[in-house]
Amino acid sequence: MKASDIMNRHVYKVKEGDTVRAVIEKFIDHSISGLPIVNDRNEIVGYISDGDIMRFIGKKNDRIVGNFYYTMIVSDPECMEERVSNILDLNALVIAKRKVVVASWDEDIEQIAAILGKKQIKKVPIVRSGVLVGIISRGDVIRHVFRSVTN
């Protein structure tokens, strides 16, 4: 079975000029946690997840103790709201990943599962001739495998 057989063809995405605000609105409106960022030719130029946003709004207190580097998360709600406010109008590409793991539309499902597991990612955009044509999540692969085994 190929990626094209189980991929979701309706992909929520944002354009390369969109802001973090637009990303968060899509996250909320569609109950999703990550989006490909595409150019005018629908080619993937980045990927932004809720984790990317968390890294920018979480307050850190970094320190080096001996040979170890520690990060202590500090809770400060007032400052967090300010940090969120400060990033809303940033271009999404500023905090997105630029090196996006993708798979080809004709990739075997077993290979898709290996990519998702090895790279420890939740979704992989599917491309055909460099153009975004779908997306596959870990849940999509698990549902497919479960149905195959139980039928």
Side-chain angles (χ1 to χ4, degrees):
M1 186 142 302
K2 304 290 183 188
S4 59
D5 296 321
I6 71 163
M7 71 184 186
N8 185 344
R9 287 174 168 72
H10 180 76
V11 182
Y12 296 112
K13 59 191 173 191
V14 290
K15 295 283 190 178
E16 61 187 334
D18 285 346
T19 63
V20 173
R21 179 186 311 271
V23 168
I24 293 172
E25 287 171 350
K26 285 208 179 192
F27 284 0
I28 293 167
D29 292 346
H30 303 294
S31 299
I32 56 175
S33 60
L35 292 164
I37 302 171
V38 298
N39 62 20
D40 290 336
R41 294 179 302 280
N42 210 38
E43 299 164 328
I44 299 171
V45 295
Y47 192 91
I48 187 164
S49 70
D50 53 1
D52 297 320
I53 294 170
M54 288 297 107
R55 278 187 283 284
F56 272 77
I57 63 174
K59 183 177 181 183
K60 298 184 293 184
N61 182 9
D62 297 330
R63 57 178 73 171
I64 298 174
V65 178
N67 292 330
F68 298 98
Y69 180 79
Y70 291 93
T71 299
M72 243 173 30
I73 303 302
V74 179
S75 178
D76 188 348
E78 291 174 8
C79 291
M80 184 177 202
E81 289 171 359
E82 186 177 321
R83 286 191 299 277
V84 170
S85 179
N86 289 337
I87 69 163
L88 289 177
D89 294 323
L90 283 179
N91 182 293
L93 279 173
V94 170
I95 64 175
K97 289 179 182 62
R98 300 288 187 110
K99 292 183 179 180
V100 182
V101 176
V102 300
S104 176
W105 68 280
D106 60 351
E107 194 85 52
D108 287 327
I109 297 305
E110 292 83 4
Q111 185 61 28
I112 300 290
I115 291 168
L116 290 165
K118 183 177 181 178
K119 298 292 185 177
Q120 296 182 354
I121 55 178
K122 296 178 185 178
K123 299 174 189 169
V124 63
I126 307 300
V127 295
R128 184 173 185 175
S129 302
V131 174
L132 178 66
V133 294
I135 199 158
I136 295 178
S137 70
R138 293 184 292 195
D140 295 329
V141 173
I142 290 169
R143 278 187 291 281
H144 165 72
V145 171
F146 179 77
R147 288 179 190 137
S148 298
V149 171
T150 59
N151 288 333

PDB file of all heavy atoms in Angstrom, residues 57-87:
ATOM      1  N   ILE A  57       7.165  30.897  23.676  1.00  0.00           N
ATOM      2  CA  ILE A  57       6.396  31.571  24.722  1.00  0.00           C
ATOM      3  C   ILE A  57       6.721  31.070  26.125  1.00  0.00           C
ATOM      4  O   ILE A  57       6.367  31.710  27.098  1.00  0.00           O
ATOM      5  CB  ILE A  57       4.864  31.497  24.477  1.00  0.00           C
ATOM      6  CG1 ILE A  57       4.352  30.067  24.510  1.00  0.00           C
ATOM      7  CG2 ILE A  57       4.506  32.198  23.190  1.00  0.00           C
ATOM      8  CD1 ILE A  57       2.848  29.961  24.419  1.00  0.00           C
ATOM      9  N   GLY A  58       7.394  29.934  26.232  1.00  0.00           N
ATOM     10  CA  GLY A  58       7.786  29.439  27.540  1.00  0.00           C
ATOM     11  C   GLY A  58       8.993  30.205  28.052  1.00  0.00           C
ATOM     12  O   GLY A  58       9.953  30.438  27.321  1.00  0.00           O
ATOM     13  N   LYS A  59       8.951  30.632  29.300  1.00  0.00           N
ATOM     14  CA  LYS A  59      10.074  31.354  29.896  1.00  0.00           C
ATOM     15  C   LYS A  59      11.079  30.343  30.406  1.00  0.00           C
ATOM     16  O   LYS A  59      10.724  29.387  31.083  1.00  0.00           O
ATOM     17  CB  LYS A  59       9.593  32.251  31.027  1.00  0.00           C
ATOM     18  CG  LYS A  59      10.699  33.080  31.634  1.00  0.00           C
ATOM     19  CD  LYS A  59      10.156  34.008  32.696  1.00  0.00           C
ATOM     20  CE  LYS A  59      11.274  34.847  33.285  1.00  0.00           C
ATOM     21  NZ  LYS A  59      10.778  35.696  34.361  1.00  0.00           N
ATOM     22  N   LYS A  60      12.339  30.568  30.079  1.00  0.00           N
ATOM     23  CA  LYS A  60      13.388  29.653  30.501  1.00  0.00           C
ATOM     24  C   LYS A  60      14.402  30.403  31.355  1.00  0.00           C
ATOM     25  O   LYS A  60      14.656  31.577  31.160  1.00  0.00           O
ATOM     26  CB  LYS A  60      14.109  29.064  29.290  1.00  0.00           C
ATOM     27  CG  LYS A  60      13.227  28.250  28.382  1.00  0.00           C
ATOM     28  CD  LYS A  60      14.016  27.621  27.285  1.00  0.00           C
ATOM     29  CE  LYS A  60      14.572  28.674  26.344  1.00  0.00           C
ATOM     30  NZ  LYS A  60      15.264  28.123  25.204  1.00  0.00           N
ATOM     31  N   ASN A  61      14.971  29.673  32.283  1.00  0.00           N
ATOM     32  CA  ASN A  61      16.066  30.183  33.067  1.00  0.00           C
ATOM     33  C   ASN A  61      17.206  29.190  32.852  1.00  0.00           C
ATOM     34  O   ASN A  61      17.263  28.148  33.493  1.00  0.00           O
ATOM     35  CB  ASN A  61      15.668  30.272  34.546  1.00  0.00           C
ATOM     36  CG  ASN A  61      16.771  30.856  35.393  1.00  0.00           C
ATOM     37  OD1 ASN A  61      17.765  31.353  34.870  1.00  0.00           O
ATOM     38  ND2 ASN A  61      16.603  30.778  36.692  1.00  0.00           N
ATOM     39  N   ASP A  62      18.091  29.499  31.902  1.00  0.00           N
ATOM     40  CA  ASP A  62      19.170  28.587  31.541  1.00  0.00           C
ATOM     41  C   ASP A  62      20.379  28.824  32.436  1.00  0.00           C
ATOM     42  O   ASP A  62      20.730  29.956  32.723  1.00  0.00           O
ATOM     43  CB  ASP A  62      19.593  28.800  30.085  1.00  0.00           C
ATOM     44  CG  ASP A  62      18.480  28.488  29.113  1.00  0.00           C
ATOM     45  OD1 ASP A  62      17.642  27.627  29.413  1.00  0.00           O
ATOM     46  OD2 ASP A  62      18.460  29.122  28.057  1.00  0.00           O
ATOM     47  N   ARG A  63      21.008  27.744  32.856  1.00  0.00           N
ATOM     48  CA  ARG A  63      22.225  27.909  33.638  1.00  0.00           C
ATOM     49  C   ARG A  63      23.135  26.704  33.431  1.00  0.00           C
ATOM     50  O   ARG A  63      22.680  25.606  33.132  1.00  0.00           O
ATOM     51  CB  ARG A  63      21.916  28.120  35.108  1.00  0.00           C
ATOM     52  CG  ARG A  63      21.106  27.039  35.768  1.00  0.00           C
ATOM     53  CD  ARG A  63      20.889  27.313  37.226  1.00  0.00           C
ATOM     54  NE  ARG A  63      19.924  28.396  37.336  1.00  0.00           N
ATOM     55  CZ  ARG A  63      19.386  28.777  38.462  1.00  0.00           C
ATOM     56  NH1 ARG A  63      19.718  28.210  39.566  1.00  0.00           N
ATOM     57  NH2 ARG A  63      18.516  29.744  38.506  1.00  0.00           N
ATOM     58  N   ILE A  64      24.413  26.949  33.602  1.00  0.00           N
ATOM     59  CA  ILE A  64      25.402  25.885  33.491  1.00  0.00           C
ATOM     60  C   ILE A  64      25.915  25.586  34.890  1.00  0.00           C
ATOM     61  O   ILE A  64      26.320  26.481  35.624  1.00  0.00           O
ATOM     62  CB  ILE A  64      26.574  26.301  32.571  1.00  0.00           C
ATOM     63  CG1 ILE A  64      26.046  26.555  31.161  1.00  0.00           C
ATOM     64  CG2 ILE A  64      27.660  25.241  32.575  1.00  0.00           C
ATOM     65  CD1 ILE A  64      27.078  27.102  30.205  1.00  0.00           C
ATOM     66  N   VAL A  65      25.864  24.303  35.271  1.00  0.00           N
ATOM     67  CA  VAL A  65      26.368  23.867  36.567  1.00  0.00           C
ATOM     68  C   VAL A  65      27.384  22.768  36.284  1.00  0.00           C
ATOM     69  O   VAL A  65      27.025  21.695  35.816  1.00  0.00           O
ATOM     70  CB  VAL A  65      25.226  23.339  37.472  1.00  0.00           C
ATOM     71  CG1 VAL A  65      25.789  22.849  38.793  1.00  0.00           C
ATOM     72  CG2 VAL A  65      24.173  24.409  37.673  1.00  0.00           C
ATOM     73  N   GLY A  66      28.641  23.048  36.560  1.00  0.00           N
ATOM     74  CA  GLY A  66      29.694  22.088  36.227  1.00  0.00           C
ATOM     75  C   GLY A  66      29.737  21.895  34.720  1.00  0.00           C
ATOM     76  O   GLY A  66      29.815  22.859  33.965  1.00  0.00           O
ATOM     77  N   ASN A  67      29.660  20.637  34.293  1.00  0.00           N
ATOM     78  CA  ASN A  67      29.662  20.324  32.869  1.00  0.00           C
ATOM     79  C   ASN A  67      28.262  20.133  32.312  1.00  0.00           C
ATOM     80  O   ASN A  67      28.093  19.706  31.179  1.00  0.00           O
ATOM     81  CB  ASN A  67      30.472  19.044  32.599  1.00  0.00           C
ATOM     82  CG  ASN A  67      31.931  19.247  32.863  1.00  0.00           C
ATOM     83  OD1 ASN A  67      32.438  20.353  32.704  1.00  0.00           O
ATOM     84  ND2 ASN A  67      32.620  18.196  33.275  1.00  0.00           N
ATOM     85  N   PHE A  68      27.237  20.434  33.111  1.00  0.00           N
ATOM     86  CA  PHE A  68      25.864  20.178  32.703  1.00  0.00           C
ATOM     87  C   PHE A  68      25.128  21.478  32.422  1.00  0.00           C
ATOM     88  O   PHE A  68      25.320  22.486  33.088  1.00  0.00           O
ATOM     89  CB  PHE A  68      25.120  19.377  33.778  1.00  0.00           C
ATOM     90  CG  PHE A  68      25.722  18.039  34.019  1.00  0.00           C
ATOM     91  CD1 PHE A  68      26.589  17.839  35.078  1.00  0.00           C
ATOM     92  CD2 PHE A  68      25.460  16.985  33.165  1.00  0.00           C
ATOM     93  CE1 PHE A  68      27.166  16.609  35.300  1.00  0.00           C
ATOM     94  CE2 PHE A  68      26.030  15.746  33.382  1.00  0.00           C
ATOM     95  CZ  PHE A  68      26.895  15.551  34.448  1.00  0.00           C
ATOM     96  N   TYR A  69      24.280  21.424  31.430  1.00  0.00           N
ATOM     97  CA  TYR A  69      23.457  22.571  31.035  1.00  0.00           C
ATOM     98  C   TYR A  69      22.028  22.270  31.446  1.00  0.00           C
ATOM     99  O   TYR A  69      21.457  21.265  31.041  1.00  0.00           O
ATOM    100  CB  TYR A  69      23.550  22.754  29.521  1.00  0.00           C
ATOM    101  CG  TYR A  69      22.749  23.895  28.973  1.00  0.00           C
ATOM    102  CD1 TYR A  69      23.222  25.189  29.073  1.00  0.00           C
ATOM    103  CD2 TYR A  69      21.528  23.686  28.356  1.00  0.00           C
ATOM    104  CE1 TYR A  69      22.500  26.256  28.555  1.00  0.00           C
ATOM    105  CE2 TYR A  69      20.790  24.736  27.836  1.00  0.00           C
ATOM    106  CZ  TYR A  69      21.293  26.017  27.943  1.00  0.00           C
ATOM    107  OH  TYR A  69      20.581  27.080  27.429  1.00  0.00           O
ATOM    108  N   TYR A  70      21.456  23.092  32.289  1.00  0.00           N
ATOM    109  CA  TYR A  70      20.105  22.880  32.804  1.00  0.00           C
ATOM    110  C   TYR A  70      19.173  23.967  32.275  1.00  0.00           C
ATOM    111  O   TYR A  70      19.560  25.117  32.158  1.00  0.00           O
ATOM    112  CB  TYR A  70      20.078  22.949  34.333  1.00  0.00           C
ATOM    113  CG  TYR A  70      20.776  21.808  35.004  1.00  0.00           C
ATOM    114  CD1 TYR A  70      22.112  21.902  35.367  1.00  0.00           C
ATOM    115  CD2 TYR A  70      20.102  20.629  35.272  1.00  0.00           C
ATOM    116  CE1 TYR A  70      22.751  20.851  35.988  1.00  0.00           C
ATOM    117  CE2 TYR A  70      20.729  19.575  35.889  1.00  0.00           C
ATOM    118  CZ  TYR A  70      22.056  19.683  36.246  1.00  0.00           C
ATOM    119  OH  TYR A  70      22.697  18.634  36.859  1.00  0.00           O
ATOM    120  N   THR A  71      17.956  23.593  31.994  1.00  0.00           N
ATOM    121  CA  THR A  71      16.918  24.560  31.681  1.00  0.00           C
ATOM    122  C   THR A  71      15.811  24.374  32.698  1.00  0.00           C
ATOM    123  O   THR A  71      15.268  23.285  32.837  1.00  0.00           O
ATOM    124  CB  THR A  71      16.362  24.341  30.256  1.00  0.00           C
ATOM    125  OG1 THR A  71      17.417  24.516  29.331  1.00  0.00           O
ATOM    126  CG2 THR A  71      15.244  25.327  29.963  1.00  0.00           C
ATOM    127  N   MET A  72      15.522  25.434  33.421  1.00  0.00           N
ATOM    128  CA  MET A  72      14.442  25.413  34.398  1.00  0.00           C
ATOM    129  C   MET A  72      13.284  26.210  33.829  1.00  0.00           C
ATOM    130  O   MET A  72      13.452  27.349  33.420  1.00  0.00           O
ATOM    131  CB  MET A  72      14.904  26.080  35.701  1.00  0.00           C
ATOM    132  CG  MET A  72      14.917  25.170  36.871  1.00  0.00           C
ATOM    133  SD  MET A  72      15.647  25.925  38.358  1.00  0.00           S
ATOM    134  CE  MET A  72      15.313  27.631  38.248  1.00  0.00           C
ATOM    135  N   ILE A  73      12.128  25.615  33.752  1.00  0.00           N
ATOM    136  CA  ILE A  73      10.955  26.326  33.283  1.00  0.00           C
ATOM    137  C   ILE A  73      10.387  27.120  34.459  1.00  0.00           C
ATOM    138  O   ILE A  73      10.175  26.588  35.537  1.00  0.00           O
ATOM    139  CB  ILE A  73       9.897  25.354  32.730  1.00  0.00           C
ATOM    140  CG1 ILE A  73      10.494  24.492  31.612  1.00  0.00           C
ATOM    141  CG2 ILE A  73       8.668  26.104  32.252  1.00  0.00           C
ATOM    142  CD1 ILE A  73      11.052  25.257  30.443  1.00  0.00           C
ATOM    143  N   VAL A  74      10.149  28.389  34.228  1.00  0.00           N
ATOM    144  CA  VAL A  74       9.641  29.270  35.269  1.00  0.00           C
ATOM    145  C   VAL A  74       8.244  29.714  34.879  1.00  0.00           C
ATOM    146  O   VAL A  74       8.006  30.128  33.746  1.00  0.00           O
ATOM    147  CB  VAL A  74      10.551  30.510  35.433  1.00  0.00           C
ATOM    148  CG1 VAL A  74      10.007  31.434  36.492  1.00  0.00           C
ATOM    149  CG2 VAL A  74      11.975  30.072  35.762  1.00  0.00           C
ATOM    150  N   SER A  75       7.314  29.620  35.802  1.00  0.00           N
ATOM    151  CA  SER A  75       5.937  30.002  35.515  1.00  0.00           C
ATOM    152  C   SER A  75       5.715  31.463  35.891  1.00  0.00           C
ATOM    153  O   SER A  75       5.920  31.864  37.027  1.00  0.00           O
ATOM    154  CB  SER A  75       4.984  29.108  36.305  1.00  0.00           C
ATOM    155  OG  SER A  75       3.666  29.505  36.068  1.00  0.00           O
ATOM    156  N   ASP A  76       5.283  32.250  34.920  1.00  0.00           N
ATOM    157  CA  ASP A  76       4.992  33.669  35.145  1.00  0.00           C
ATOM    158  C   ASP A  76       3.901  34.064  34.162  1.00  0.00           C
ATOM    159  O   ASP A  76       4.188  34.491  33.045  1.00  0.00           O
ATOM    160  CB  ASP A  76       6.250  34.500  34.946  1.00  0.00           C
ATOM    161  CG  ASP A  76       6.058  35.951  35.344  1.00  0.00           C
ATOM    162  OD1 ASP A  76       4.897  36.364  35.556  1.00  0.00           O
ATOM    163  OD2 ASP A  76       7.063  36.669  35.440  1.00  0.00           O
ATOM    164  N   PRO A  77       2.612  33.904  34.530  1.00  0.00           N
ATOM    165  CA  PRO A  77       1.508  34.109  33.595  1.00  0.00           C
ATOM    166  C   PRO A  77       1.480  35.482  32.937  1.00  0.00           C
ATOM    167  O   PRO A  77       1.191  35.595  31.765  1.00  0.00           O
ATOM    168  CB  PRO A  77       0.256  33.908  34.454  1.00  0.00           C
ATOM    169  CG  PRO A  77       0.710  33.236  35.689  1.00  0.00           C
ATOM    170  CD  PRO A  77       2.159  33.535  35.849  1.00  0.00           C
ATOM    171  N   GLU A  78       1.797  36.537  33.672  1.00  0.00           N
ATOM    172  CA  GLU A  78       1.744  37.874  33.075  1.00  0.00           C
ATOM    173  C   GLU A  78       2.765  38.003  31.964  1.00  0.00           C
ATOM    174  O   GLU A  78       2.476  38.522  30.902  1.00  0.00           O
ATOM    175  CB  GLU A  78       1.976  38.936  34.152  1.00  0.00           C
ATOM    176  CG  GLU A  78       0.831  39.021  35.134  1.00  0.00           C
ATOM    177  CD  GLU A  78       1.124  39.972  36.274  1.00  0.00           C
ATOM    178  OE1 GLU A  78       2.136  40.681  36.231  1.00  0.00           O
ATOM    179  OE2 GLU A  78       0.315  39.981  37.207  1.00  0.00           O
ATOM    180  N   CYS A  79       3.963  37.511  32.196  1.00  0.00           N
ATOM    181  CA  CYS A  79       4.998  37.595  31.175  1.00  0.00           C
ATOM    182  C   CYS A  79       4.676  36.692  29.985  1.00  0.00           C
ATOM    183  O   CYS A  79       4.987  37.029  28.854  1.00  0.00           O
ATOM    184  CB  CYS A  79       6.352  37.236  31.756  1.00  0.00           C
ATOM    185  SG  CYS A  79       6.973  38.471  32.912  1.00  0.00           S
ATOM    186  N   MET A  80       4.053  35.558  30.259  1.00  0.00           N
ATOM    187  CA  MET A  80       3.704  34.645  29.177  1.00  0.00           C
ATOM    188  C   MET A  80       2.709  35.305  28.230  1.00  0.00           C
ATOM    189  O   MET A  80       2.842  35.207  27.013  1.00  0.00           O
ATOM    190  CB  MET A  80       3.144  33.333  29.709  1.00  0.00           C
ATOM    191  CG  MET A  80       2.855  32.331  28.638  1.00  0.00           C
ATOM    192  SD  MET A  80       2.289  30.796  29.358  1.00  0.00           S
ATOM    193  CE  MET A  80       2.659  29.679  28.038  1.00  0.00           C
ATOM    194  N   GLU A  81       1.701  35.972  28.778  1.00  0.00           N
ATOM    195  CA  GLU A  81       0.734  36.664  27.929  1.00  0.00           C
ATOM    196  C   GLU A  81       1.428  37.715  27.069  1.00  0.00           C
ATOM    197  O   GLU A  81       1.103  37.894  25.895  1.00  0.00           O
ATOM    198  CB  GLU A  81      -0.358  37.302  28.783  1.00  0.00           C
ATOM    199  CG  GLU A  81      -1.297  36.289  29.399  1.00  0.00           C
ATOM    200  CD  GLU A  81      -2.252  36.896  30.413  1.00  0.00           C
ATOM    201  OE1 GLU A  81      -2.187  38.120  30.656  1.00  0.00           O
ATOM    202  OE2 GLU A  81      -3.064  36.128  30.957  1.00  0.00           O
ATOM    203  N   GLU A  82       2.388  38.396  27.644  1.00  0.00           N
ATOM    204  CA  GLU A  82       3.141  39.400  26.889  1.00  0.00           C
ATOM    205  C   GLU A  82       3.955  38.738  25.781  1.00  0.00           C
ATOM    206  O   GLU A  82       4.003  39.226  24.660  1.00  0.00           O
ATOM    207  CB  GLU A  82       4.068  40.162  27.839  1.00  0.00           C
ATOM    208  CG  GLU A  82       4.783  41.322  27.182  1.00  0.00           C
ATOM    209  CD  GLU A  82       5.634  42.087  28.178  1.00  0.00           C
ATOM    210  OE1 GLU A  82       5.191  42.259  29.336  1.00  0.00           O
ATOM    211  OE2 GLU A  82       6.734  42.504  27.789  1.00  0.00           O
ATOM    212  N   ARG A  83       4.579  37.586  26.091  1.00  0.00           N
ATOM    213  CA  ARG A  83       5.363  36.880  25.071  1.00  0.00           C
ATOM    214  C   ARG A  83       4.465  36.403  23.939  1.00  0.00           C
ATOM    215  O   ARG A  83       4.829  36.487  22.769  1.00  0.00           O
ATOM    216  CB  ARG A  83       6.120  35.719  25.713  1.00  0.00           C
ATOM    217  CG  ARG A  83       7.310  36.179  26.536  1.00  0.00           C
ATOM    218  CD  ARG A  83       8.205  35.021  26.947  1.00  0.00           C
ATOM    219  NE  ARG A  83       7.517  34.040  27.769  1.00  0.00           N
ATOM    220  CZ  ARG A  83       7.342  34.140  29.087  1.00  0.00           C
ATOM    221  NH1 ARG A  83       7.801  35.183  29.730  1.00  0.00           N
ATOM    222  NH2 ARG A  83       6.718  33.191  29.761  1.00  0.00           N
ATOM    223  N   VAL A  84       3.270  35.901  24.273  1.00  0.00           N
ATOM    224  CA  VAL A  84       2.324  35.479  23.234  1.00  0.00           C
ATOM    225  C   VAL A  84       1.946  36.681  22.371  1.00  0.00           C
ATOM    226  O   VAL A  84       1.973  36.611  21.143  1.00  0.00           O
ATOM    227  CB  VAL A  84       1.056  34.831  23.846  1.00  0.00           C
ATOM    228  CG1 VAL A  84      -0.012  34.629  22.789  1.00  0.00           C
ATOM    229  CG2 VAL A  84       1.409  33.518  24.515  1.00  0.00           C
ATOM    230  N   SER A  85       1.615  37.783  23.006  1.00  0.00           N
ATOM    231  CA  SER A  85       1.234  38.994  22.288  1.00  0.00           C
ATOM    232  C   SER A  85       2.349  39.449  21.349  1.00  0.00           C
ATOM    233  O   SER A  85       2.088  39.890  20.228  1.00  0.00           O
ATOM    234  CB  SER A  85       0.902  40.095  23.292  1.00  0.00           C
ATOM    235  OG  SER A  85       0.546  41.274  22.624  1.00  0.00           O
ATOM    236  N   ASN A  86       3.586  39.294  21.788  1.00  0.00           N
ATOM    237  CA  ASN A  86       4.722  39.743  20.987  1.00  0.00           C
ATOM    238  C   ASN A  86       4.978  38.899  19.748  1.00  0.00           C
ATOM    239  O   ASN A  86       5.575  39.388  18.791  1.00  0.00           O
ATOM    240  CB  ASN A  86       5.993  39.792  21.842  1.00  0.00           C
ATOM    241  CG  ASN A  86       5.976  40.923  22.839  1.00  0.00           C
ATOM    242  OD1 ASN A  86       5.273  41.915  22.660  1.00  0.00           O
ATOM    243  ND2 ASN A  86       6.745  40.773  23.905  1.00  0.00           N
ATOM    244  N   ILE A  87       4.565  37.646  19.760  1.00  0.00           N
ATOM    245  CA  ILE A  87       4.850  36.802  18.596  1.00  0.00           C
ATOM    246  C   ILE A  87       3.689  36.705  17.606  1.00  0.00           C
ATOM    247  O   ILE A  87       3.865  36.218  16.498  1.00  0.00           O
ATOM    248  CB  ILE A  87       5.301  35.382  18.986  1.00  0.00           C
ATOM    249  CG1 ILE A  87       4.154  34.584  19.596  1.00  0.00           C
ATOM    250  CG2 ILE A  87       6.522  35.407  19.860  1.00  0.00           C
ATOM    251  CD1 ILE A  87       4.410  33.094  19.629  1.00  0.00           C
TER     252      ILE A  87
END
